Amino acid sequence: MSRLSSVGIIGTGNVGVAAAYSLFQQQTTGRIILVDRDRRRAEGEAMDLMHGQSLVGRVSVLAGDFPDLSECGVIVITAGVSQKPGESRLELLNRNTAVFREIAAHLDHHAPDAVLVIATNPVDILTYVMQHLSRRPPERVIGTGTMLDTSRFRAALGDYYGVNPRSVHAYIMGEHGDSEVPVWSTARVGGLSIHQQTINGRDFDAQAMQRLFQGVKNAAYDIIARKGYTNTAIGLVISHLISVILEDQKSVLPVSVNPAGTYGLADVCLSIPCIVGREGIEAQVAPLINEEELKGMHDSADVLKHSLQGMQLN
């Protein structure tokens, strides 16, 4: 196994376990290390996965601690604290910041070269927090951002036009949340603009598209109302992002980053399509968006900056 080819997952809740299962089943890496405050839970999850090796192949899964992450090329953070009754959003964010401060210190010491993938919600806020707390370059701290929203968007458009979602190229950008921005202006199916051409017998219908987007935006709420949490699709998202990094694919993905001036935005983290490879974010690939979409990006940034006010980052 080459150096830094292992993957660490910090947090073995529903999302962390879904990510581990996806990595295991797809054999994205030969070694997965699970870290959790509840060591016995991490051990149980590792044992459970290892029993599937005869069906999947040789993938080592073990429970460990921060020193064991030193050989990891990518480390996923799904850990976080839940909101207490009567607790404000700001109080919750500050408690999660305290958790991330401890994690950042351990990772900077034991795994300074790893790319960090942030999956804990609110992902944009906590990506920004980790970029400030960690000593590693910001391009090596990536939030999953709107990768899941974009996957939902493409799946819905694929269903509408009767095509494989892999033939749909469309993005959700901005916040992973209520202010997310559907980029209609560059949406294409098989290279055809959904605005300008009839595709598989269907024309662009603004009202239908708005209903479609509302379904995408509310998907998490709908799932949580039924099963209590979301985990399987985000697990697949995390696994895909990790494979892109480990294989140095240089794929373009809508991940949460600091725009650093793109679209006139800065000092916040939100989703913009980026080239992702072994070193993390290699470049931002900002689509040419229309005025309404640009306004949506600025509104989304304002929402996130408002959430950051009063947070204890120092």
Side-chain angles (χ1 to χ4, degrees):
M1 186 183 303
S2 64
R3 184 175 184 272
L4 302 183
S5 61
S6 300
V7 172
I9 299 178
I10 301 174
T12 56
N14 293 319
V15 172
V17 170
Y21 177 74
S22 183
L23 289 165
F24 179 84
Q25 189 179 50
Q26 297 178 37
Q27 294 186 287
T28 305
T29 176
R31 191 166 183 252
I32 303 168
I33 303 169
L34 305 180
V35 176
D36 196 284
R37 286 185 180 276
D38 184 346
R39 175 64 179 251
R40 287 180 60 80
R41 174 167 181 165
E43 289 172 348
E45 296 292 358
M47 292 166 62
D48 203 5
L49 279 172
M50 286 283 281
H51 294 160
Q53 286 186 106
S54 66
L55 305 172
V56 171
R58 180 65 180 171
V59 180
S60 175
V61 188
L62 62 146
D65 208 337
F66 290 105
D68 301 307
L69 302 177
S70 61
E71 296 298 311
C72 290
V74 184
I75 298 171
V76 185
I77 301 173
T78 68
V81 294
S82 299
Q83 195 162 13
K84 297 178 180 178
E87 185 177 39
S88 71
R89 177 182 172 85
L90 180 58
E91 288 170 336
L92 174 63
L93 287 174
N94 280 327
R95 286 204 299 128
N96 268 315
T97 297
V99 171
F100 269 48
R101 183 176 289 108
E102 179 183 352
I103 291 172
H106 284 299
L107 296 183
D108 283 349
H109 179 68
H110 296 291
D113 297 324
V115 175
L116 305 186
V117 170
I118 312 302
T120 306
N121 279 320
V123 67
D124 302 298
I125 299 296
L126 292 175
T127 300
Y128 181 89
V129 166
M130 184 56 79
Q131 287 187 356
H132 278 71
L133 296 176
S134 176
R135 295 195 300 268
R136 75 199 67 224
E139 59 268 21
R140 299 178 75 83
V141 179
I142 308 171
T144 52
T146 57
M147 283 184 65
L148 177 55
D149 312 81
T150 292
S151 179
R152 290 167 173 160
F153 193 39
R154 293 179 180 181
L157 286 169
D159 184 61
Y160 180 84
Y161 286 106
V163 300
N164 188 322
R166 292 187 175 184
S167 297
V168 177
H169 292 85
Y171 291 111
I172 299 291
M173 291 166 46
E175 179 196 16
H176 171 57
D178 292 341
S179 69
E180 64 188 33
V181 181
V183 184
W184 299 109
S185 59
T186 62
R188 281 168 169 70
V189 174
L192 301 179
S193 168
I194 64 174
H195 291 275
Q196 299 170 1
Q197 285 114 344
T198 298
I199 300 171
N200 202 16
R202 304 204 75 168
D203 294 320
F204 184 85
D205 181 329
Q207 291 185 336
M209 291 296 104
Q210 185 57 32
R211 290 193 297 271
L212 181 150
F213 169 61
Q214 289 301 319
V216 169
K217 186 169 74 169
N218 294 326
Y221 299 125
D222 292 338
I223 295 168
I224 290 168
R226 288 162 173 78
K227 61 178 274 189
Y229 55 89
T230 64
N231 67 325
T232 49
I234 187 60
L236 288 166
V237 163
I238 292 168
S239 178
H240 179 65
L241 177 54
I242 290 172
S243 68
V244 166
I245 296 168
L246 291 180
E247 296 169 14
D248 197 23
Q249 290 183 18
K250 303 187 190 303
S251 296
V252 178
L253 303 172
V255 290
S256 188
V257 295
N258 189 324
T262 301
Y263 299 127
L265 302 171
D267 199 30
V268 70
C269 283
L270 43 61
S271 284
I272 294 172
C274 296
I275 299 172
V276 181
R278 169 69 77 171
E279 299 304 315
I281 302 297
E282 298 195 359
Q284 296 181 18
V285 184
L288 293 175
I289 57 179
N290 62 33
E291 290 185 7
E292 182 180 357
E293 292 160 352
L294 180 60
K295 181 181 182 303
M297 289 293 287
H298 279 262
D299 290 345
S300 199
D302 288 343
V303 167
L304 291 165
K305 286 182 177 181
H306 179 75
S307 292
L308 287 166
Q309 291 177 359
M311 289 188 62
Q312 301 164 0
L313 296 181
N314 297 318

